Amino acid sequence: MAEELLRVTDLKMHFHTRDGVVKAVDGVSFTLSRGETLGVVGESGSGKSVTALTMMRLVPMPPGRVEGGEVMFKGRSLLDMTDAEIRSVRGNEIAMIFQDPMTSLNPVYRIGRQLAEPLMLHKGMNKAQAWERAVELLDLVGIPHSKERVRDYPHQFSGGMRQRVMIAMALACDPDILIADEPTTALDVTIQAQILELMQKLQKQMNSAIIMITHDLGVVADIADTVLVMYAGRPVEYGTADEVFYRPLHPYAWGLMDSIPRHDITSKSRLCPIKGQPPSLIDVPAGCAFSPRCPYAKDICHAEEPVFRRIEGEHGAACHFSGEPDFVRGDMICAGVSE
């Protein structure tokens, strides 16, 4: 059985603002083992990125505040570590690829210097050793003429190349966990496929774990072993990729699946979007947060918040009716409507 690297239990991160309390992360739980890829999906504002930033202790406090839960990494609590201890973990044992590589790379420093810095800090290399390793890392992620390109600045790289540099930087210290926050955003499909293939290849080489945060369900279906579906800061479904894609339990997950373009349907039919908008996290609806948009909502859904329940093994959902024989995946109102 693979070694468990990370266990997140009932994690809550709230932001205290003048307008009220923003419950950005409200009770997230999951586990991650060595060699495993976890896909975290949901609409914008569902709390995916804030969950990762909270684990990495990168949320400014105030206004952020951890209201509960724990994050255990190899038996150590990341939330209880001192600043010096968490700095030794970041980039060394847990690394993160941020959404926009142009804003993550310092425009006034050469690529080589930015790659060499974590190696000197965490691995104790001298400058010459770190620069030599930086060239190797650029080779590893498929950047040609690495000996010359290592002296270039970020603006001299294309978007896809900058994303490769970010992956090289994240992998510089051979981390146990790689958190990839929308790593293929704004990249064309060819470069996106190359980036994903590269990440999978390096994961196998290093036997590391990946947390893939994305809107792209196609990416998740391709690389994830387990999937966490989030809505309004809360987990609404969790299970293996096959379970979530082929036997989803929560109406929100049904809606996400129905909104994916299908290759196996020959008849002309419209995509089925989920009606409405995600709620404000300052004023989350009573009961189930998804109930105002759910075509299957009943009185109890508007009155009582559902408890996350495991239905089969680790596969579970936060829905009052999940697992009931007469409550199976349905069409989200508009599916099958011909043009």
Side-chain angles (χ1 to χ4, degrees):
M1 188 172 179
E3 173 194 1
E4 182 178 286
L5 293 175
L6 186 69
R7 178 173 289 272
V8 178
T9 307
D10 199 27
L11 182 63
K12 298 180 180 180
M13 167 59 75
H14 298 173
F15 293 90
H16 294 259
T17 71
R18 292 180 180 178
D19 296 324
V21 178
V22 179
K23 297 180 179 180
V25 178
D26 200 26
V28 172
S29 301
F30 62 85
T31 60
L32 186 69
S33 300
R34 189 174 293 281
E36 181 184 2
T37 298
L38 169 69
V40 184
V41 300
E43 293 168 281
S44 296
S46 60
K48 307 183 301 296
S49 296
V50 178
T51 298
L53 293 172
T54 301
M55 293 189 301
M56 296 286 281
R57 297 264 301 275
L58 292 173
V59 175
M61 290 191 255
R65 183 188 300 170
V66 177
E67 298 289 355
E70 64 178 12
V71 181
M72 302 299 295
F73 172 64
K74 292 183 175 180
R76 298 174 289 166
S77 173
L78 294 180
L79 301 181
D80 293 334
M81 287 183 176
T82 64
D83 290 344
E85 288 172 336
I86 194 65
R87 280 196 298 268
S88 71
V89 171
R90 285 195 213 115
N92 187 26
E93 297 180 87
I94 304 177
M96 188 167 179
I97 303 171
F98 296 95
Q99 286 192 33
D100 187 351
M102 197 62 218
T103 58
S104 302
L105 294 168
N106 193 318
V108 301
Y109 292 140
R110 298 180 191 274
I111 291 296
R113 175 173 175 176
Q114 298 184 61
L115 286 170
E117 184 176 2
L119 294 167
M120 292 187 286
L121 177 64
H122 294 298
K123 298 299 184 182
M125 295 184 181
N126 59 37
K127 184 176 180 180
Q129 292 171 328
W131 273 76
E132 183 178 351
R133 177 57 178 160
V135 173
E136 294 175 358
L137 287 167
L138 292 186
D139 276 332
L140 185 67
V141 296
I143 293 181
H145 311 295
S146 55
K147 288 185 179 180
E148 294 78 28
R149 299 309 303 272
V150 77
R151 298 189 177 278
D152 287 343
Y153 292 91
H155 72 271
Q156 295 174 277
F157 286 72
S158 67
M161 289 294 187
R162 286 195 294 266
Q163 196 64 287
R164 288 171 184 264
V165 170
M166 287 300 302
I167 293 174
M169 189 179 298
L171 297 174
C173 297
D174 300 329
D176 293 305
I177 298 175
L178 176 64
I179 302 173
D181 190 358
E182 298 282 2
T184 57
T185 297
L187 301 180
D188 63 64
V189 291
T190 303
I191 301 300
Q192 172 179 303
Q194 292 174 358
I195 294 293
L196 294 175
E197 183 180 0
L198 172 65
M199 291 177 63
Q200 289 178 290
K201 176 183 175 182
L202 296 177
Q203 180 187 26
K204 289 180 180 178
Q205 289 180 3
M206 301 176 181
N207 195 26
S208 57
I210 293 177
I211 298 177
M212 174 69 71
I213 300 170
T214 181
H215 294 94
D216 193 332
L217 294 175
V219 169
V220 173
D222 188 40
I223 72 169
D225 301 301
T226 54
V227 177
L228 173 67
V229 182
M230 293 186 64
Y231 184 79
R234 301 169 184 171
V236 295
E237 186 158 351
Y238 178 70
T240 66
D242 284 346
E243 289 170 337
V244 174
F245 275 85
Y246 296 109
R247 299 190 303 279
L249 296 170
H250 196 283
Y252 179 60
W254 300 351
L256 292 179
M257 301 308 153
D258 286 341
S259 66
I260 303 174
R262 297 282 297 273
H263 299 285
D264 57 343
I265 297 179
T266 55
S267 62
K268 293 183 178 180
S269 59
R270 298 175 182 175
L271 290 178
C272 182
I274 302 173
K275 294 184 178 181
Q277 298 293 328
S280 165
L281 297 182
I282 293 179
D283 187 22
V284 179
C288 175
F290 186 60
S291 61
R293 306 173 69 189
C294 180
Y296 310 101
K298 299 180 182 180
D299 290 343
I300 190 175
C301 302
H302 300 290
E304 296 182 19
E305 181 181 342
V307 176
F308 191 96
R309 296 179 295 133
R310 288 184 173 86
I311 306 301
E312 182 181 355
E314 293 296 313
H315 188 200
C319 177
H320 290 294
F321 305 104
S322 290
E324 293 190 4
D326 59 344
F327 191 71
V328 296
R329 179 179 178 180
D331 296 328
M332 294 292 282
I333 300 303
C334 65
V337 176
S338 60
E339 293 182 342

